[in-house]
Amino acid sequence: RRDQGHGSPVGRVSDDTRIPPHDPGAEKIVLGCAMLSPDALTEAEAIVKPGDFYRPAHELIFSTIVEMAAQKEPTDPVAIAARLVESGKLSRVGGGVYLHECYSAPPTAANVGYYAGIVAEKAKLRRLAAIATRFEHGIFGGEGTRKAAEIADMLREAVADLDAART
């Protein structure tokens, strides 16, 4: 089918052309704030979890910062790089240079809550997209035995679970 004579196919864009919601700049700022200030790290941890970061490198950096802070170790780029060297994971995050880029990204650690909120919101959008995809596959993927009301109830439950997981 074509859309009302506009020449574009009706339906969704193929999965390989869509980029999940994320904000690499906000992620870098949160990491930099977490490295700069224990208070900023505490505030960030109240808003985001490691799995909220889109880039696996950012998730690893944040997890390392959290772990080091819990052990009362410094969380500056040099200390983090040393920890990642010990575990053989420094190259997975882009090296020491990238850690310093993150460290210098925030104009001030005072705004960590704002940027952590962006990271958390993008993560929630990705989770919603995953739910929508799962239900879309259930509707179009040959599982035609479910009624619309049953699918709608399951969708409401999945979204409620998502909301409950973040509070």
Side-chain angles (χ1 to χ4, degrees):
R1 264 180 26 172
R2 296 267 173 203
D3 180 24
Q4 312 302 319
H6 294 103
S8 62
V10 173
R12 63 188 173 95
V13 177
S14 78
D15 288 333
D16 58 340
T17 61
R18 294 189 291 183
I19 299 171
H22 67 289
D23 187 328
E27 289 188 10
K28 282 176 79 169
I29 289 173
V30 170
L31 295 173
C33 290
M35 287 184 220
L36 283 166
S37 160
D39 291 338
L41 174 58
T42 300
E43 186 175 348
E45 280 187 285
I47 300 168
V48 296
K49 304 298 176 244
D52 290 344
F53 290 88
Y54 177 72
R55 291 195 58 217
H58 291 170
E59 180 178 351
L60 178 56
I61 294 167
F62 191 73
S63 295
T64 303
I65 294 167
V66 168
E67 177 185 306
M68 292 176 70
Q71 296 170 354
K72 306 287 190 232
E73 296 177 13
T75 58
D76 60 81
V78 174
I80 295 166
R83 171 66 63 89
L84 292 170
V85 165
E86 289 173 12
S87 63
K89 297 178 182 174
L90 184 61
S91 63
R92 288 180 42 194
V93 302
V97 171
Y98 189 72
L99 292 172
H100 282 279
E101 278 181 37
C102 293
Y103 187 73
S104 64
T108 174
N111 297 331
V112 70
Y114 174 79
Y115 293 102
I118 292 170
V119 173
E121 177 67 15
K122 299 296 182 183
K124 187 171 185 177
L125 287 170
R126 289 192 304 275
R127 289 180 183 102
L128 281 170
I131 290 169
T133 299
R134 189 174 79 234
F135 279 89
E136 180 182 33
H137 288 298
I139 293 168
F140 293 110
E143 291 183 24
T145 59
R146 298 196 193 274
K147 301 266 190 235
E150 182 182 359
I151 292 171
D153 287 342
M154 291 167 54
L155 180 58
R156 279 189 282 278
E157 184 179 325
V159 172
D161 289 347
L162 176 66
D163 286 338
R166 300 308 306 164
T167 56

